[in-house]
């Protein structure tokens, strides 16, 4: 028989990098948890209550901690622990889970950025430093909690309420002055460097593309050389087909004229229909 442990996380607030926060909260909860003590004698299993025996901690061999890296401008800039606003504009995200023994537990990459080997190695080195710091903080917090429990002081939820540790996102509203916004924007534009190259007229890089503003005429209707060749070939094929059709009609007319009046004429709409033979005196004026 084994214990079945389930860890549920409820998100109260989110300001970015929820993966790292969830990994820290999860591993701390597992390290802080105590299960009832058990004794096994043959096939008989006895589960003791907290009053009979002190609960025992879980056997946790290592603490995998996640560290997230946000990339901007196709990997040119690297940022650790991105906020919610930074996650909105990032190109890609790399999450590395590692323990204090520098053992990589998992790597997850997402986004539209392609990472090279040097970038991943650099992130792994940063992860090793951050994981060591976070693991030390976790162990210190667990030791303080155990010490407070032995001394009979406040701990857990009761200890967090007076210090407002669970309301860290509570902020007083502050008024924003927008009177000098236009003046500040004008100063910023005036101090900004002019562009290195200025084009008087818009540049049309390739034929067949549109442009915005004043400049040369739009060339949407112009055909490229390959399109002109295809159009010419199609026109030539259509003329050849028309010539062949006219030739067939001419040959058919001459054949009918060469037919003698004393010979019977066979009219048939299709090969499967009945063939009708008409005598010369029975011929109508117009035949199809």
């Amino acid at each position: 028989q084994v214990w079945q442990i389930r860890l549920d996380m409820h998100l109260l607030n989110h300001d970015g990098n929820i993966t790292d926060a969830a990994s820290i909260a999860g591993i701390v909860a597992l390290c802080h948890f105590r299960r009832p003590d058990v004794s096994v004698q043959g096939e008989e299993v006895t589960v003791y209550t907290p009053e009979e025996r002190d609960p025992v901690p879980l056997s946790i061999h290592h603490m995998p901690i996640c560290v997230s890296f946000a990339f901007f401008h196709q990997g040119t800039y690297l940022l650790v622990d991105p906020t919610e606003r930074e996650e909105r504009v990032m190109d890609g995200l790399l999450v590395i889970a590692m323990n204090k023994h520098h053992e990589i537990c998992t790597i997850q990459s997402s986004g539209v950025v392609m990472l090279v080997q040097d970038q991943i190695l650099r992130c792994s080195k940063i992860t090793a430093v951050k994981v060591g710091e976070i693991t030390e903080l976790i162990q210190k917090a667990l030791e303080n909690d155990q010490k407070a429990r032995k001394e009979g002081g406040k701990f857990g939820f009761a200890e967090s309420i007076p210090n407002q540790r669970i309301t860290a996102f509570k902020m007083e509203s502050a008024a924003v002055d927008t009177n000098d916004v236009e003046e500040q924007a004008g100063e910023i534009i005036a101090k900004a460097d002019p562009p290195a190259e200025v084009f008087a007229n818009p540049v049309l890089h390739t034929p067949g593309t549109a442009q915005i503003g004043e400049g040369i005429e739009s060339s949407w209707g112009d055909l490229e050389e390959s399109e002109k060749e295809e159009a010419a070939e199609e026109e030539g094929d259509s003329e050849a087909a028309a010539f062949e059709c006219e030739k067939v009609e001419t040959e058919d007319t001459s054949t009918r004229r060469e037919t003698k009046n004393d010979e019977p004429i066979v009219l048939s709409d299709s090969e499967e229909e009945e063939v009708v033979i008409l005598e010369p005196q029975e011929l109508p004026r117009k035949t199809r």
Side-chain angles (χ1 to χ4, degrees), residues 6-10:
R6 189 183 71 178
L7 179 63
D8 295 331
M9 296 188 183
H10 300 275

Side-chain angles (χ1 to χ4, degrees), residues 23-98:
S23 68
I24 296 173
I27 194 65
V28 171
L30 294 175
C31 293
H32 186 269
F33 176 73
R34 299 291 187 272
R35 65 168 178 82
D37 195 6
V38 178
S39 64
V40 180
Q41 294 180 356
E43 296 182 356
E44 183 180 356
V45 178
T46 304
V47 180
Y48 298 97
T49 62
E51 290 77 13
E52 296 174 345
R53 288 189 181 181
D54 292 336
V56 296
L58 300 177
S59 299
I60 297 182
H61 303 287
H62 66 109
M63 299 182 185
I65 304 297
C66 294
V67 179
S68 298
F69 301 88
F71 294 92
F72 303 89
H73 294 283
Q74 297 299 321
T76 305
Y77 301 102
L78 171 65
L79 180 65
V80 184
D81 191 9
T83 62
E84 191 261 344
R85 290 186 177 182
E86 292 167 344
E87 288 181 348
R88 291 184 180 182
V89 296
M90 67 182 180
D91 295 333
L93 182 68
L94 178 67
V95 180
I96 301 178
M98 183 184 295

Side-chain angles (χ1 to χ4, degrees), residues 171-227:
M171 300 176 61
E172 297 181 359
S173 58
V176 179
D177 187 9
T178 58
N179 295 328
D180 300 334
V181 173
E182 295 183 359
E183 296 179 1
Q184 295 178 3
E187 293 178 359
I188 294 174
I189 296 174
K191 294 179 180 180
D193 296 332
E197 189 175 2
V198 179
F199 297 95
N201 296 324
V203 179
L204 197 62
H205 297 283
T206 57
T209 59
Q211 61 182 2
I212 300 175
E214 297 180 357
I216 59 178
E217 297 180 357
S218 176
S219 59
W220 278 99
D222 298 342
L223 296 178
E224 296 183 359
E225 295 297 333
S226 59
E227 296 177 348

